[in-house]
Amino acid sequence: MAAEVDPGYFDPLAVDPEQARDVARWRTAERKRLREARRTLSSPRRKATGEALMTGLERLFAANSAGAGDGIVAFYWPIKDEPDLRSLMTEMQASGRRIALPLVETRAAPLVFRLWTPETRMERGHWNIPVPPRDAPEVMPDVVLAPLMGWDSEGYRLGYGGGYFDRTLAALSPRPFSIGVGLAAAQLPTIYPQSHDIPMDVILTERGIEVGG
């Protein structure tokens, strides 16, 4: 198993099928562990984490051209105890910024982004996640916020395993500024990055910017 072997042993291009299988099994186990740790957070702790993340995002946007002006910022709709950033979505939209949400409209394909406002009539999409309807304008985001299960010091993100964010970032040109959003306690020594993994430009936790910036 990957967790029991020196990370230097692993080929980041995953040319060895056995290594790739080991990494996949390790990631599955880590997702389960990290998901359970996040699920058991108290309501006050979860609320405080969300507030700290929104403050960190506001500071990041203020110090960086990303998310500024009329740029389109793609948030996410929280599921599975993810940090809830919806109040910041509303504030940014009210201040004149355009906000988008990702949709899985074709399985195993890049995500589609559609504009969102507080008045948007949401529908149930893939995994039963609320999403804008298909008649909402499709847009190309300048900034993408990606929820994460785990992260490492190289900026790599451990997601849910569907590969949608990596696939999307690889397909978009120009590539949007990417911000992985999650918990400080979800840091890993490495996620054993494979050839399809794309590092985030920034990893942001309740402690602030952990990677990039």
Side-chain angles (χ1 to χ4, degrees):
M1 294 292 286
E4 300 171 346
V5 181
D6 180 350
Y9 166 76
F10 278 84
D11 175 5
L13 298 180
V15 295
D16 184 329
E18 184 175 355
Q19 287 183 12
R21 286 192 294 271
D22 285 345
V23 169
R25 287 194 293 267
W26 177 84
R27 287 185 177 186
T28 296
E30 283 299 288
R31 288 186 186 102
K32 182 177 180 180
R33 179 183 69 82
L34 292 166
R35 171 73 181 88
E36 180 61 18
R38 191 170 70 188
R39 186 188 67 80
T40 57
L41 288 177
S42 67
S43 294
R45 174 74 181 281
R46 187 173 289 115
K47 181 180 179 181
T49 296
E51 291 174 349
L53 283 165
M54 288 187 285
T55 297
L57 283 168
E58 289 175 323
R59 290 173 177 166
L60 177 60
F61 291 152
N64 193 303
S65 59
D70 60 355
I72 299 172
V73 181
F75 277 76
Y76 61 86
W77 200 270
I79 60 170
K80 300 181 179 180
D81 304 305
E82 291 170 343
D84 189 347
L85 311 178
R86 286 176 292 181
S87 64
L88 181 58
M89 287 169 52
T90 301
E91 290 174 12
M92 290 182 66
Q93 196 277 335
S95 72
R97 289 180 176 143
R98 290 182 290 171
I99 305 300
L101 287 171
L103 293 80
V104 176
E105 294 192 349
T106 303
R107 290 180 183 248
L111 296 164
V112 171
F113 296 90
R114 297 192 181 277
L115 282 181
W116 171 91
T117 73
E119 293 74 36
T120 297
R121 176 182 53 82
M122 303 290 275
E123 299 178 348
R124 292 288 174 177
H126 193 56
W127 293 316
N128 212 31
I129 301 171
V131 297
R134 285 182 180 247
D135 60 359
E138 183 176 346
V139 294
M140 181 79 73
D142 300 286
V143 181
V144 172
L145 274 58
L148 52 82
M149 290 297 303
W151 58 277
D152 67 22
S153 62
E154 298 300 315
Y156 286 101
R157 164 188 173 273
L158 183 66
Y160 291 113
Y164 283 100
F165 276 98
D166 289 319
R167 192 178 294 115
T168 301
L169 292 175
L172 294 181
S173 181
R175 185 178 295 176
F177 188 82
S178 57
I179 305 173
V181 179
L183 305 180
Q187 183 175 9
L188 301 166
T190 179
I191 72 158
Y192 299 97
Q194 305 294 286
S195 59
H196 61 273
D197 291 309
I198 295 178
M200 299 285 101
D201 292 304
V202 167
I203 297 290
L204 181 76
T205 75
E206 71 273 21
R207 295 188 302 210
I209 294 175
E210 306 277 5
V211 178

